[in-house]
Short mmCIF file of all heavy atoms in Angstrom, two decimals:
data_model
loop_
_atom_site.label_atom_id
_atom_site.label_comp_id
_atom_site.label_asym_id
_atom_site.label_seq_id
_atom_site.Cartn_x
_atom_site.Cartn_y
_atom_site.Cartn_z
N VAL L 819 49.98 -32.05 4.24
CA VAL L 819 50.93 -32.83 3.45
C VAL L 819 50.57 -34.30 3.57
O VAL L 819 50.20 -34.78 4.63
CB VAL L 819 52.37 -32.58 3.92
CG1 VAL L 819 53.34 -33.45 3.15
CG2 VAL L 819 52.70 -31.12 3.77
N VAL L 820 50.69 -35.03 2.49
CA VAL L 820 50.34 -36.46 2.48
C VAL L 820 51.36 -37.22 3.30
O VAL L 820 52.51 -36.80 3.49
CB VAL L 820 50.32 -36.99 1.04
CG1 VAL L 820 49.25 -36.29 0.26
CG2 VAL L 820 51.66 -36.82 0.38
N PRO L 821 50.98 -38.37 3.81
CA PRO L 821 51.93 -39.19 4.57
C PRO L 821 53.04 -39.71 3.68
O PRO L 821 52.93 -39.73 2.46
CB PRO L 821 51.04 -40.34 5.09
CG PRO L 821 49.80 -40.31 4.28
CD PRO L 821 49.64 -38.94 3.77
N PRO L 822 54.17 -40.11 4.26
CA PRO L 822 55.31 -40.62 3.50
C PRO L 822 54.90 -41.82 2.65
O PRO L 822 54.05 -42.62 3.03
CB PRO L 822 56.32 -41.02 4.58
CG PRO L 822 55.90 -40.26 5.79
CD PRO L 822 54.42 -40.11 5.72
N LEU L 823 55.53 -41.90 1.47
CA LEU L 823 55.26 -43.01 0.56
C LEU L 823 56.40 -44.01 0.62
O LEU L 823 57.48 -43.75 1.13
CB LEU L 823 55.09 -42.48 -0.86
CG LEU L 823 54.01 -41.39 -1.01
CD1 LEU L 823 54.01 -40.88 -2.43
CD2 LEU L 823 52.66 -41.91 -0.60
N ALA L 824 56.16 -45.15 0.02
CA ALA L 824 57.20 -46.19 -0.01
C ALA L 824 58.38 -45.71 -0.81
O ALA L 824 58.24 -44.93 -1.75
CB ALA L 824 56.62 -47.47 -0.61
N ALA L 825 59.54 -46.18 -0.48
CA ALA L 825 60.77 -45.73 -1.14
C ALA L 825 60.90 -46.24 -2.56
O ALA L 825 61.47 -45.59 -3.42
CB ALA L 825 61.98 -46.18 -0.33
N ALA L 826 60.34 -47.38 -2.87
CA ALA L 826 60.49 -47.96 -4.20
C ALA L 826 59.63 -47.20 -5.21
O ALA L 826 58.55 -46.76 -4.90
CB ALA L 826 60.09 -49.44 -4.18
N GLN L 827 60.13 -47.08 -6.42
CA GLN L 827 59.40 -46.40 -7.48
C GLN L 827 58.31 -47.33 -8.01
O GLN L 827 58.58 -48.47 -8.37
CB GLN L 827 60.36 -46.01 -8.59
CG GLN L 827 59.80 -44.98 -9.53
CD GLN L 827 60.84 -44.52 -10.52
OE1 GLN L 827 61.56 -45.32 -11.09
NE2 GLN L 827 60.91 -43.21 -10.71
N GLN L 828 57.06 -46.84 -8.02
CA GLN L 828 55.92 -47.66 -8.41
C GLN L 828 55.08 -46.91 -9.44
O GLN L 828 55.11 -45.69 -9.50
CB GLN L 828 55.04 -47.95 -7.18
CG GLN L 828 55.78 -48.54 -6.00
CD GLN L 828 54.90 -48.57 -4.76
OE1 GLN L 828 53.68 -48.58 -4.88
NE2 GLN L 828 55.52 -48.57 -3.61
N PRO L 829 54.29 -47.66 -10.26
CA PRO L 829 53.35 -46.99 -11.16
C PRO L 829 52.34 -46.19 -10.34
O PRO L 829 51.87 -46.65 -9.30
CB PRO L 829 52.70 -48.14 -11.91
CG PRO L 829 53.64 -49.29 -11.76
CD PRO L 829 54.30 -49.12 -10.43
N LEU L 830 52.01 -45.03 -10.83
CA LEU L 830 51.09 -44.15 -10.11
C LEU L 830 49.69 -44.35 -10.65
O LEU L 830 49.39 -44.00 -11.78
CB LEU L 830 51.53 -42.69 -10.28
CG LEU L 830 50.71 -41.65 -9.51
CD1 LEU L 830 50.77 -41.92 -8.01
CD2 LEU L 830 51.23 -40.26 -9.79
N ARG L 831 48.80 -44.93 -9.84
CA ARG L 831 47.41 -45.16 -10.21
C ARG L 831 46.53 -44.34 -9.28
O ARG L 831 46.56 -44.56 -8.06
CB ARG L 831 47.06 -46.64 -10.13
CG ARG L 831 47.87 -47.52 -11.09
CD ARG L 831 47.19 -48.86 -11.28
NE ARG L 831 47.09 -49.59 -10.02
CZ ARG L 831 47.78 -50.70 -9.76
NH1 ARG L 831 48.60 -51.21 -10.65
NH2 ARG L 831 47.64 -51.31 -8.60
N VAL L 832 45.79 -43.42 -9.87
CA VAL L 832 44.98 -42.49 -9.08
C VAL L 832 43.53 -42.61 -9.49
O VAL L 832 43.19 -42.51 -10.67
CB VAL L 832 45.47 -41.03 -9.25
CG1 VAL L 832 44.61 -40.09 -8.40
CG2 VAL L 832 46.94 -40.91 -8.87
N GLN L 833 42.65 -42.79 -8.50
CA GLN L 833 41.21 -42.83 -8.71
C GLN L 833 40.62 -41.48 -8.30
O GLN L 833 40.95 -40.95 -7.24
CB GLN L 833 40.57 -43.96 -7.90
CG GLN L 833 39.06 -44.01 -8.00
CD GLN L 833 38.45 -45.03 -7.05
OE1 GLN L 833 39.17 -45.79 -6.40
NE2 GLN L 833 37.13 -45.05 -6.96
N LEU L 834 39.75 -40.93 -9.17
CA LEU L 834 39.16 -39.63 -8.89
C LEU L 834 37.77 -39.81 -8.28
O LEU L 834 36.93 -40.53 -8.81
CB LEU L 834 39.04 -38.82 -10.18
CG LEU L 834 38.33 -37.47 -10.08
CD1 LEU L 834 39.10 -36.52 -9.16
CD2 LEU L 834 38.14 -36.84 -11.46
N ASP L 835 37.55 -39.12 -7.16
CA ASP L 835 36.23 -39.08 -6.52
C ASP L 835 35.78 -37.62 -6.51
O ASP L 835 36.25 -36.80 -5.71
CB ASP L 835 36.32 -39.62 -5.09
CG ASP L 835 34.95 -39.64 -4.41
OD1 ASP L 835 33.95 -39.41 -5.10
OD2 ASP L 835 34.90 -39.86 -3.18
N ALA L 836 34.90 -37.28 -7.46
CA ALA L 836 34.44 -35.90 -7.61
C ALA L 836 33.02 -35.91 -8.16
O ALA L 836 32.64 -36.84 -8.89
CB ALA L 836 35.36 -35.11 -8.53
N PRO L 837 32.21 -34.90 -7.86
CA PRO L 837 30.85 -34.82 -8.42
C PRO L 837 30.88 -34.57 -9.92
O PRO L 837 31.89 -34.12 -10.47
CB PRO L 837 30.22 -33.65 -7.65
CG PRO L 837 31.38 -32.82 -7.22
CD PRO L 837 32.50 -33.77 -6.95
N GLU L 838 29.75 -34.86 -10.57
CA GLU L 838 29.67 -34.71 -12.01
C GLU L 838 29.87 -33.27 -12.48
O GLU L 838 30.29 -33.04 -13.60
CB GLU L 838 28.31 -35.21 -12.52
CG GLU L 838 28.17 -36.72 -12.52
CD GLU L 838 29.24 -37.39 -13.40
OE1 GLU L 838 29.52 -36.87 -14.50
OE2 GLU L 838 29.80 -38.41 -12.97
N SER L 839 29.60 -32.31 -11.61
CA SER L 839 29.79 -30.92 -11.99
C SER L 839 31.25 -30.57 -12.22
O SER L 839 31.57 -29.63 -12.94
CB SER L 839 29.22 -29.99 -10.91
OG SER L 839 29.85 -30.24 -9.66
N ALA L 840 32.17 -31.35 -11.60
CA ALA L 840 33.59 -31.06 -11.73
C ALA L 840 34.38 -32.17 -12.41
O ALA L 840 35.48 -31.93 -12.91
CB ALA L 840 34.20 -30.80 -10.34
N ARG L 841 33.83 -33.37 -12.45
CA ARG L 841 34.59 -34.51 -12.95
C ARG L 841 35.07 -34.34 -14.40
O ARG L 841 36.26 -34.57 -14.68
CB ARG L 841 33.75 -35.78 -12.82
CG ARG L 841 34.39 -37.02 -13.43
CD ARG L 841 33.50 -38.23 -13.28
NE ARG L 841 33.43 -38.63 -11.88
CZ ARG L 841 34.32 -39.43 -11.28
NH1 ARG L 841 35.34 -39.90 -11.98
NH2 ARG L 841 34.19 -39.76 -10.04
N PRO L 842 34.23 -33.95 -15.37
CA PRO L 842 34.73 -33.86 -16.75
C PRO L 842 35.91 -32.89 -16.90
O PRO L 842 36.85 -33.18 -17.64
CB PRO L 842 33.50 -33.37 -17.53
CG PRO L 842 32.34 -33.79 -16.71
CD PRO L 842 32.79 -33.67 -15.30
N LEU L 843 35.85 -31.76 -16.20
CA LEU L 843 36.94 -30.80 -16.28
C LEU L 843 38.24 -31.38 -15.75
O LEU L 843 39.31 -31.24 -16.37
CB LEU L 843 36.56 -29.53 -15.50
CG LEU L 843 37.62 -28.44 -15.40
CD1 LEU L 843 37.84 -27.80 -16.76
CD2 LEU L 843 37.22 -27.39 -14.36
N LEU L 844 38.17 -32.05 -14.61
CA LEU L 844 39.38 -32.61 -14.00
C LEU L 844 39.92 -33.77 -14.83
O LEU L 844 41.13 -33.89 -15.03
CB LEU L 844 39.08 -33.06 -12.57
CG LEU L 844 38.62 -31.95 -11.61
CD1 LEU L 844 38.24 -32.54 -10.26
CD2 LEU L 844 39.71 -30.90 -11.44
N GLU L 845 39.04 -34.63 -15.30
CA GLU L 845 39.50 -35.77 -16.10
C GLU L 845 40.16 -35.31 -17.40
O GLU L 845 41.07 -35.98 -17.91
CB GLU L 845 38.32 -36.70 -16.41
CG GLU L 845 37.81 -37.46 -15.21
CD GLU L 845 36.64 -38.35 -15.54
OE1 GLU L 845 35.96 -38.09 -16.56
OE2 GLU L 845 36.39 -39.31 -14.79
N ARG L 846 39.71 -34.20 -17.93
CA ARG L 846 40.24 -33.72 -19.21
C ARG L 846 41.59 -33.02 -19.05
O ARG L 846 42.45 -33.11 -19.93
CB ARG L 846 39.23 -32.77 -19.84
CG ARG L 846 39.57 -32.38 -21.27
CD ARG L 846 38.37 -31.79 -21.98
NE ARG L 846 37.80 -30.66 -21.26
CZ ARG L 846 36.62 -30.67 -20.67
NH1 ARG L 846 35.87 -31.78 -20.70
NH2 ARG L 846 36.15 -29.61 -20.04
N HIS L 847 41.83 -32.34 -17.93
CA HIS L 847 42.99 -31.46 -17.83
C HIS L 847 43.97 -31.80 -16.71
O HIS L 847 45.10 -31.32 -16.75
CB HIS L 847 42.53 -30.01 -17.64
CG HIS L 847 41.72 -29.47 -18.78
ND1 HIS L 847 42.27 -29.22 -20.01
CD2 HIS L 847 40.40 -29.15 -18.86
CE1 HIS L 847 41.33 -28.75 -20.82
NE2 HIS L 847 40.18 -28.71 -20.15
N LEU L 848 43.58 -32.56 -15.73
CA LEU L 848 44.47 -32.81 -14.59
C LEU L 848 45.57 -33.79 -14.98
O LEU L 848 45.30 -34.92 -15.40
CB LEU L 848 43.65 -33.37 -13.42
CG LEU L 848 44.32 -33.32 -12.05
CD1 LEU L 848 44.69 -31.89 -11.67
CD2 LEU L 848 43.40 -33.93 -10.99
N ARG L 849 46.81 -33.34 -14.84
CA ARG L 849 47.94 -34.14 -15.34
C ARG L 849 48.11 -35.44 -14.58
O ARG L 849 48.50 -36.46 -15.16
CB ARG L 849 49.23 -33.32 -15.26
CG ARG L 849 49.34 -32.26 -16.33
CD ARG L 849 50.67 -31.54 -16.27
NE ARG L 849 50.78 -30.75 -15.05
CZ ARG L 849 51.88 -30.07 -14.71
NH1 ARG L 849 52.96 -30.12 -15.46
NH2 ARG L 849 51.90 -29.36 -13.60
N ILE L 850 47.83 -35.46 -13.29
CA ILE L 850 48.06 -36.66 -12.50
C ILE L 850 47.13 -37.80 -12.92
O ILE L 850 47.40 -38.98 -12.67
CB ILE L 850 47.89 -36.35 -11.00
CG1 ILE L 850 48.58 -37.45 -10.15
CG2 ILE L 850 46.43 -36.20 -10.63
CD1 ILE L 850 48.62 -37.13 -8.68
N LEU L 851 46.03 -37.44 -13.62
CA LEU L 851 45.08 -38.45 -14.10
C LEU L 851 45.35 -38.86 -15.54
O LEU L 851 44.87 -39.91 -15.98
CB LEU L 851 43.65 -37.93 -14.01
CG LEU L 851 43.13 -37.53 -12.63
CD1 LEU L 851 41.73 -36.96 -12.75
CD2 LEU L 851 43.15 -38.72 -11.67
N ASN L 852 46.12 -38.08 -16.26
CA ASN L 852 46.23 -38.27 -17.70
C ASN L 852 47.62 -38.71 -18.16
O ASN L 852 47.88 -38.73 -19.35
CB ASN L 852 45.85 -36.97 -18.43
CG ASN L 852 44.39 -36.64 -18.28
OD1 ASN L 852 43.55 -37.49 -18.47
ND2 ASN L 852 44.09 -35.42 -17.89
N ARG L 853 48.50 -39.05 -17.23
CA ARG L 853 49.83 -39.53 -17.62
C ARG L 853 49.95 -40.99 -17.24
O ARG L 853 50.25 -41.35 -16.12
CB ARG L 853 50.92 -38.71 -16.94
CG ARG L 853 51.01 -37.29 -17.46
CD ARG L 853 52.19 -36.55 -16.90
NE ARG L 853 53.44 -37.27 -17.15
CZ ARG L 853 54.63 -36.85 -16.69
NH1 ARG L 853 54.71 -35.74 -15.98
NH2 ARG L 853 55.71 -37.54 -16.96
N SER L 854 49.71 -41.87 -18.23
CA SER L 854 49.75 -43.31 -17.96
C SER L 854 51.16 -43.80 -17.66
O SER L 854 51.33 -44.83 -17.02
CB SER L 854 49.17 -44.07 -19.17
OG SER L 854 49.91 -43.75 -20.34
N ASP L 855 52.18 -43.04 -18.14
CA ASP L 855 53.56 -43.47 -17.93
C ASP L 855 54.15 -42.89 -16.64
O ASP L 855 55.32 -43.09 -16.35
CB ASP L 855 54.43 -43.04 -19.12
CG ASP L 855 54.42 -41.52 -19.30
OD1 ASP L 855 53.48 -40.86 -18.79
OD2 ASP L 855 55.35 -41.01 -19.95
N GLN L 856 53.32 -42.18 -15.88
CA GLN L 856 53.83 -41.52 -14.67
C GLN L 856 54.05 -42.56 -13.58
O GLN L 856 53.23 -43.45 -13.35
CB GLN L 856 52.83 -40.46 -14.20
CG GLN L 856 53.36 -39.60 -13.08
CD GLN L 856 52.47 -38.40 -12.85
OE1 GLN L 856 52.86 -37.29 -13.15
NE2 GLN L 856 51.28 -38.62 -12.32
N THR L 857 55.17 -42.46 -12.90
CA THR L 857 55.50 -43.37 -11.80
C THR L 857 55.61 -42.59 -10.51
O THR L 857 55.82 -41.37 -10.51
CB THR L 857 56.82 -44.11 -12.07
OG1 THR L 857 57.87 -43.15 -12.29
CG2 THR L 857 56.69 -45.00 -13.31
N LEU L 858 55.47 -43.28 -9.41
CA LEU L 858 55.58 -42.67 -8.09
C LEU L 858 57.05 -42.36 -7.80
O LEU L 858 57.90 -43.23 -7.90
CB LEU L 858 55.02 -43.62 -7.03
CG LEU L 858 54.73 -43.04 -5.66
CD1 LEU L 858 53.64 -41.98 -5.78
CD2 LEU L 858 54.31 -44.13 -4.70
N PRO L 859 57.36 -41.08 -7.49
CA PRO L 859 58.78 -40.75 -7.25
C PRO L 859 59.35 -41.53 -6.07
O PRO L 859 58.64 -41.85 -5.10
CB PRO L 859 58.72 -39.24 -6.94
CG PRO L 859 57.43 -38.76 -7.53
CD PRO L 859 56.50 -39.91 -7.39
N ALA L 860 60.64 -41.84 -6.15
CA ALA L 860 61.29 -42.59 -5.08
C ALA L 860 61.58 -41.71 -3.88
O ALA L 860 61.51 -42.16 -2.73
CB ALA L 860 62.59 -43.22 -5.60
N GLU L 861 61.91 -40.45 -4.10
CA GLU L 861 62.27 -39.55 -3.02
C GLU L 861 61.02 -38.98 -2.37
O GLU L 861 60.07 -38.61 -3.04
CB GLU L 861 63.16 -38.42 -3.53
CG GLU L 861 64.48 -38.88 -4.11
CD GLU L 861 65.36 -39.56 -3.05
OE1 GLU L 861 65.25 -39.17 -1.86
OE2 GLU L 861 66.13 -40.46 -3.43
N ARG L 862 61.07 -38.87 -1.03
CA ARG L 862 59.92 -38.37 -0.27
C ARG L 862 59.61 -36.92 -0.66
O ARG L 862 58.43 -36.55 -0.80
CB ARG L 862 60.22 -38.46 1.22
CG ARG L 862 59.04 -38.02 2.10
CD ARG L 862 59.37 -38.30 3.56
NE ARG L 862 58.24 -37.93 4.41
CZ ARG L 862 58.02 -36.71 4.88
NH1 ARG L 862 58.86 -35.73 4.58
NH2 ARG L 862 56.98 -36.47 5.66
#
Side-chain angles (χ1 to χ4, degrees):
V819 177
V820 297
L823 305 176
Q827 196 174 45
Q828 307 170 24
L830 184 60
R831 297 198 299 248
V832 180
Q833 177 187 353
L834 175 63
D835 182 10
E838 286 301 318
S839 59
R841 175 181 291 274
L843 176 69
L844 299 175
E845 289 179 338
R846 189 163 56 248
H847 298 291
L848 196 58
R849 285 184 293 177
I850 199 172
L851 301 177
N852 293 311
R853 290 187 56 183
S854 58
D855 60 340
Q856 188 168 251
T857 56
L858 195 63
E861 298 296 330
R862 183 173 182 274

